[in-house]
Amino acid sequence: MEKLVACVQKKPDAICRLICFPWAGSGTSQLAKWGRLFNDSIEVFCIRLPGRETRLEEPFPKDMTSAVNEIISVLLEELKEKPFAFFGHSFATYLSFAVALQLKEKYGLEPVHLFMSGAHAPNSASFLAIKSLVPPDEIDDLLILMKILGGNSEFPSDEDSWTDTVLREDARILHTFSFEKTDMNSPFSCDITYFCGSDDKIFDAKGTFLKRFSSYTYTFSCCITPVQ
């Protein structure tokens, strides 16, 4: 599990786990630090996908299904142990939702809460615009994609940089994510909280995406500051 999960402060007596999914192009260094901010009742796991940090030599996931399957195969027993919640930002919102969807439909498990940030509903016109783009091979294609997502549109001048490479690969994973009408058949019973910073682009976070939930909380946050 240490290969997939970064946990900077283990809390064996925690009553709940918060599973964090990093945004596109990133690793675990920021979100894993949240483990030191909560009291002993919450243990934080941060997901480390192949192709980054200690998994640098491993090939990137070829699609969303591959990423989801690895996460569930590694974490399934831990997710059965105690309640858990998911947090995902931008690209990771879709990854965390895909994991939650498979857990619900295959294993009857679901988070006690889903926290999401900076993402369009996967059935919205904005997200379908992303799906209409070919997977980004050129930097200009990646810039267009990031503009639609509302992310940073500036990249290092060195196109062979690690961040640029990971962004491209994460964008390819996102391009393989699909949300079908059949996915609406088994609504989650948990709530969802959606965060949006006051300076962020306004995302289409509602729509039928939230019909997957029996109830939800829509939260507008004035400021979301990454942990330093």
Side-chain angles (χ1 to χ4, degrees), residues 140-221:
D140 289 343
D141 297 330
L142 192 57
L143 287 170
I144 292 171
L145 176 61
M146 295 304 295
K147 184 176 181 180
I148 294 174
L149 287 172
N152 186 8
S153 59
E154 296 181 0
F155 296 94
S157 57
D158 179 5
E159 294 189 10
D160 293 325
S161 69
W162 178 84
T163 300
D164 185 28
T165 300
V166 178
L167 275 169
R168 290 174 191 271
E169 295 300 327
D170 287 346
R172 292 179 190 278
I173 295 173
L174 180 61
H175 195 267
T176 67
F177 174 66
S178 62
F179 183 75
E180 307 295 340
K181 289 183 178 180
T182 54
D183 292 335
M184 306 292 292
N185 294 334
S186 302
F188 294 106
S189 60
C190 65
D191 282 351
I192 174 175
T193 298
Y194 182 85
F195 298 96
C196 184
S198 58
D199 293 332
D200 286 355
K201 172 182 176 178
I202 300 300
F203 292 88
D204 181 4
K206 295 185 178 182
T208 59
F209 176 50
L210 293 180
K211 291 181 182 177
R212 281 290 321 211
F213 301 85
S214 59
S215 61
Y216 68 91
T217 304
Y218 185 83
T219 303
F220 182 85
S221 174

